[in-house]
Amino acid sequence: MADLKARTDISFAEVFLCSAFAACFAEFCTIPLDTAKVRLQLQRKTTSTDGVIVPKYGGLLGTIATIAREEGLSALWKGIGAGLHRQFIYGGLRIGLYEPVKKILVGDDFVGDIHLYHKILAALLTGALAIMVANPTDLVKVRLQAEGKLPAGVPKRYSGALDAYLTIVRQEGLRALWTGLGPNIVRNAIINAAELASYDEVKQIILQIPGFMDNVFTHLLAGLGAGFFAVCIGSPIDVVKSRMMGDSTYKSTLDCFIRTLKNEGFFAFYKGFLPNFSRLGSWNVVMFLTLEQAKKLVRGEVFYD
């Protein structure tokens, strides 16, 4: 039961901080799955001397095991600094702005359930705006995750997140921090719509079913639904984004798409689907559960019984 003195609303700044905290917590918990996903997406077909294709990484668990064995357990958290930077800015903005933008779209006098298309449009707008600000953090995160174990005597490109920012600016220019912005805007706008709008809609539908309440089980189901829709819709864009950020040889988004399709086929765009779903599914569950609790705490309500 909620406290009778609980607040009915919280400010944008409070929502931003709750969202940023929830996103950062989910990022820390699930980044090993994201690292495995990035490695699988960047992996290309290789042929041995006898003509047999021998991929280095195979599957979610195999990729995690290979990275841990060859590079150490800490390698699974490569890019965590930039990942937390990204989630604080991107997560805070995209989630924090979602409700205000929805209200702008439907008007202050609107009463009743907001239509799904308004939810989708609001999430598209907030996802695009947030990643325009946070793109440098996303780029650095992918660059750090893409680095494997180097041969003896070969120095690493970056010693950490801050060094990566400075090195990229020094060697490639300030604009390089926004490499892959095009596909990243498309990818994050679409995935944000799939996550926030689907979570909002699924939660609303579940709460209309007799016996269901606004509790942990409902948030769990809605979070899993959000993760599933996000991966199915956003995986091809995610692969292109990871490849453009991890490899500077591509001339454009279209060039990356065509070369990947020509050389590896359509299913290359769904490389790392299982780790991507495992990561996004678990990420959404952790993030939304944490977010709901953080907002309850700020309002003065009790936690789950």
Side-chain angles (χ1 to χ4, degrees), residues 12 238 260:
F12 169 74
D238 194 42
T260 301

Side-chain angles (χ1 to χ4, degrees), residues 270-286:
Y270 284 89
K271 275 188 174 181
F273 183 87
L274 178 59
N276 204 5
F277 174 65
S278 299
R279 199 266 173 162
L280 265 183
S282 58
W283 192 95
N284 275 277
V285 168
V286 173

Side-chain angles (χ1 to χ4, degrees), residues 13-286:
E14 289 171 325
V15 175
F16 175 87
L17 291 175
C18 288
S19 304
F21 172 75
C24 286
F25 182 69
E27 181 76 7
F28 182 82
C29 292
T30 62
I31 197 170
L33 296 171
D34 191 51
T35 299
K37 178 207 73 173
V38 169
R39 293 289 181 89
L40 285 167
Q41 288 177 337
L42 294 177
Q43 180 171 248
R44 291 170 174 75
K45 293 181 179 180
T46 56
T47 306
S48 62
T49 53
D50 56 1
V52 178
I53 296 176
V54 185
K56 181 178 181 180
Y57 303 115
L60 173 62
L61 296 179
T63 302
I64 291 175
T66 300
I67 294 172
R69 182 177 64 254
E70 293 185 354
E71 304 170 42
L73 197 60
S74 63
L76 293 169
W77 273 266
K78 274 187 176 179
I80 185 61
L84 295 178
H85 299 163
R86 176 186 187 273
Q87 290 302 340
F88 187 85
I89 299 172
Y90 175 67
L93 285 175
R94 75 182 180 100
I95 301 169
L97 289 170
Y98 178 63
E99 290 296 332
V101 170
K102 273 200 307 182
K103 290 181 180 179
I104 291 173
L105 291 175
V106 300
D108 292 334
D109 299 328
F110 181 85
V111 178
D113 294 332
I114 296 176
H115 293 295
L116 178 59
Y117 69 84
H118 279 127
K119 297 175 183 177
I120 293 173
L121 181 56
L124 285 170
L125 291 172
T126 60
L129 176 62
I131 200 58
M132 288 175 68
V133 178
N135 195 82
T137 63
D138 208 13
L139 173 73
V140 169
K141 175 189 168 186
V142 171
R143 290 277 184 99
L144 291 172
Q145 287 178 315
E147 285 195 328
K149 186 177 182 180
L150 299 172
V154 178
K156 292 183 177 180
R157 285 192 299 173
Y158 316 114
S159 61
L162 181 59
D163 178 62
Y165 289 119
L166 296 174
T167 301
I168 291 170
V169 171
R170 184 173 62 252
Q171 295 181 353
E172 305 173 46
L174 184 63
R175 291 180 60 184
L177 289 173
W178 277 267
T179 298
L181 179 61
N184 219 12
I185 287 177
V186 175
R187 180 241 183 207
N188 283 279
I190 291 174
I191 290 182
N192 194 51
E195 287 181 353
L196 296 187
S198 63
Y199 180 84
D200 205 353
E201 188 73 9
V202 170
K203 180 181 174 182
Q204 179 180 308
I205 292 172
I206 292 175
L207 290 176
Q208 293 173 351
I209 301 174
F212 282 88
M213 301 176 64
D214 191 3
N215 56 22
V216 64
F217 186 63
T218 297
H219 300 159
L220 176 66
L221 292 178
L224 284 172
F228 178 75
F229 284 116
V231 176
C232 288
I233 295 170
S235 189
I237 303 169
D238 194 42
V239 169
V240 172
K241 182 216 71 167
S242 291
R243 291 199 170 188
M244 286 195 68
M245 289 185 167
D247 187 345
S248 59
T249 61
Y250 295 112
K251 298 177 182 178
S252 64
T253 303
L254 183 62
D255 177 55
C256 180
F257 179 85
I258 292 175
R259 285 169 58 181
T260 301
L261 181 64
K262 180 179 178 181
N263 297 331
E264 302 174 55
F266 174 77
F267 288 105
F269 295 111
Y270 284 89
K271 275 188 174 181
F273 183 87
L274 178 59
N276 204 5
F277 174 65
S278 299
R279 199 266 173 162
L280 265 183
S282 58
W283 192 95
N284 275 277
V285 168
V286 173

